[in-house]
Amino acid sequence: MPPEGIAIVSLAGIGFAAFTVGVIGRIIVKAIERRNVVQPKELALVASRLERIEQAIDAMAIEVERITEGQRFTTKLLAERGAGAAEGAAGTPSAVPQTSAREH
């Protein structure tokens, strides 16, 4: 059986080692937490950048709507011109009824 003093010193050594590991672990955890914290200055930069992106997207949406309206207008004009050209190519306006060869 080991002497009583050795057992006490061994237990104290184990306790000290556990305490040291705990303190070192806590220091490491705090360092990781500090590294992951976003600074207020960085938040302000991100917020301003997001605001500019939002404004750019709004401007693009307006331009796309203008392009769409122009395309609708052009398509309508081409459809009307195509209908007029088809009537003119036949040689008779569409309001005049066509007569067939059998009716003569």
Side-chain angles (χ1 to χ4, degrees):
M1 197 148 179
E4 214 175 283
I6 293 178
I8 292 174
V9 170
S10 295
L11 287 176
I14 292 172
F16 180 74
F19 175 76
T20 305
V21 168
V23 168
I24 292 172
R26 181 70 179 150
I27 290 170
I28 292 172
V29 168
K30 281 217 173 233
I32 291 172
E33 287 175 352
R34 263 187 258 136
R35 199 176 327 166
N36 292 334
V37 173
V38 178
Q39 301 299 324
K41 180 181 176 184
E42 292 174 8
L43 287 176
L45 291 173
V46 170
S48 67
R49 177 177 267 173
L50 285 175
E51 187 175 335
R52 288 192 308 267
I53 290 172
E54 184 178 354
Q55 290 172 353
I57 289 173
D58 288 343
M60 284 188 278
I62 290 169
E63 291 301 319
V64 167
E65 184 60 32
R66 287 181 183 164
I67 292 168
T68 304
E69 289 176 16
Q71 188 173 11
R72 277 190 219 123
F73 179 74
T74 304
T75 303
K76 181 180 173 185
L77 286 179
L78 289 174
E80 290 172 356
R81 182 183 290 174
E87 290 173 4
T92 58
S94 62
V96 177
Q98 297 282 335
T99 58
S100 67
R102 290 183 204 175
E103 293 177 7
H104 289 294

